[in-house]
Amino acid sequence: MTGTIPIQAFLIISTLMFFIGIYGFLTRKNLITMLMSIELILNSVNINFVVFNRYLYPQNLQGHFFSLIIIAIAAAEAAVAIAIIINIYRNFKSIDVDNVDEMKF
Amino acid sequence: MNSEVMFYLLAGMILIFSVLTVTSRKILRAAVYLLFVLISTAAIYFMLEYTFLAAVQLTVYAGGIVVLIIFSILLTSHISERAVMADRKQGVLSALAVGAGALLTLITIMQFAFTPSLEPAQNSTVTDVGNALISYNRNGFALPFEVISILLLAALIGAIIVARKEKDAISK
């Protein structure tokens, strides 16, 4: 299915996606949008693992299982993060990082 | 030829919707753009012939995490609320840092000589994936599978404990 597409094409896509995610993490103020940026970063890493597995070590499935486990960890992380965010909203009536500075020293 | 057209279409979708995810002022729209990015990623997994992984990506990410995110957006912000972005100086500085990092990584990728393997590909049907997940031989993944199960259980309980209302808070 991959035909003549070089491995670099996939790596460029995942690199750009990773750095777009980091840009979002640095510039967003809302906790949920920051969580969405983290999902972008995790997703780009998944693409990397899968592409390396398919192109460089097709006789094994290590990268495939790494991605599978990262997806599970991302689901767990999203659930805990959203529970924390909802708790913060209950206490501060806002989820902007600027307003949540109670523990700032 | 066909798969190349498909790949460039998917690549364009991923890039455009990733940028929209981090720049859109309306949070709900950003979540829907994230959904498009995740679905395009699943399509890339289908192209690479890892069909089980693509199905997991669709169900867990697109079906689970995005729905969770959309629900929490609806719980915590008003629908017409516009997201606050960082001020101009911080935006320019982070764009510079991100651009420098991306440039460095891209140069490294283009300079490294990857040698694609010519060995026959290992099947990744549901049977193979299931057998690998429960076998403890050289190519088995029983330990990570068990550890991830315990992590999921802990996250489940932790999320409930964190998000529930406290008893004395209700009685007050």
Side-chain angles (χ1 to χ4, degrees):
Chain A
M1 266 300 274
T2 47
T4 55
I5 305 166
I7 181 173
Q8 280 89 352
F10 289 97
L11 297 183
I12 289 170
I13 294 299
S14 72
T15 305
L16 290 177
M17 199 168 152
F18 183 88
F19 282 103
I20 289 170
I22 289 184
Y23 177 77
F25 191 78
L26 290 175
T27 54
R28 289 286 201 177
K29 294 285 177 192
N30 187 306
L31 277 174
I32 291 180
T33 48
M34 288 170 82
L35 181 68
M36 280 156 56
S37 306
I38 296 177
E39 300 294 341
L40 272 183
I41 295 172
L42 285 170
N43 208 49
S44 73
V45 174
N46 272 349
I47 295 181
N48 256 8
F49 272 121
V50 171
V51 168
F52 280 135
N53 189 0
R54 170 54 77 196
Y55 275 83
L56 305 183
Y57 302 99
Q59 70 276 23
N60 293 322
L61 283 177
Q62 262 97 1
H64 176 273
F65 281 106
F66 252 100
S67 297
L68 210 60
I69 285 163
I70 292 173
I71 289 176
I73 290 176
E77 169 249 327
V80 173
I82 282 174
I84 292 173
I85 289 171
I86 287 177
N87 219 358
I88 287 175
Y89 181 73
R90 207 177 276 149
N91 289 327
F92 292 89
K93 299 285 169 264
S94 160
I95 51 167
D96 281 0
V97 281
D98 290 339
N99 297 330
V100 187
D101 53 2
E102 194 94 323
M103 286 173 74
K104 205 171 180 180
F105 182 64
Chain B
M1 182 63 206
N2 243 339
S3 62
E4 280 175 31
V5 173
M6 200 63 209
F7 173 75
Y8 290 116
L9 199 71
L10 289 172
M13 266 181 76
I14 284 183
L15 288 187
I16 291 170
F17 286 121
S18 318
V19 171
L20 284 175
T21 306
V22 297
T23 54
S24 172
R25 289 291 173 117
K26 294 194 168 155
I27 305 171
L28 200 58
R29 281 193 195 170
V32 177
Y33 295 139
L34 178 70
L35 175 67
F36 289 149
V37 174
L38 299 175
I39 290 176
S40 314
T41 312
I44 280 191
Y45 295 161
F46 274 121
M47 277 186 71
L48 293 167
E49 290 169 356
Y50 288 127
T51 45
F52 179 72
L53 187 64
V56 168
Q57 167 92 4
L58 277 180
T59 49
V60 176
Y61 257 120
I65 294 180
V66 170
V67 171
L68 202 63
I69 286 177
I70 286 178
F71 264 107
S72 60
I73 289 171
L74 294 179
L75 280 174
T76 55
S77 56
H78 199 263
I79 194 91
S80 58
E81 197 177 295
R82 296 177 74 77
V84 190
M85 301 293 273
D87 52 23
R88 197 177 189 84
K89 188 183 157 207
Q90 196 184 349
V92 171
L93 282 181
S94 32
L96 275 178
V98 163
L103 200 69
L104 193 70
T105 317
L106 288 178
I107 290 173
T108 315
I109 287 174
M110 297 316 282
Q111 278 181 348
F112 190 81
F114 294 100
T115 45
S117 167
L118 296 173
E119 296 205 32
Q122 159 89 351
N123 285 332
S124 60
T125 59
V126 179
T127 317
D128 298 316
V129 172
N131 278 333
L133 272 182
I134 55 168
S135 81
Y136 43 82
N137 302 326
R138 201 169 131 47
N139 282 321
F141 295 86
L143 180 66
F145 181 67
E146 296 296 332
V147 172
I148 209 77
S149 317
I150 293 172
L151 177 82
L152 276 178
L153 182 67
L156 200 72
I157 297 172
I160 294 172
I161 298 283
V162 169
R164 70 166 182 186
K165 279 205 175 87
E166 299 205 0
K167 241 187 190 147
D168 39 313
I170 301 170
S171 60
K172 243 184 249 173

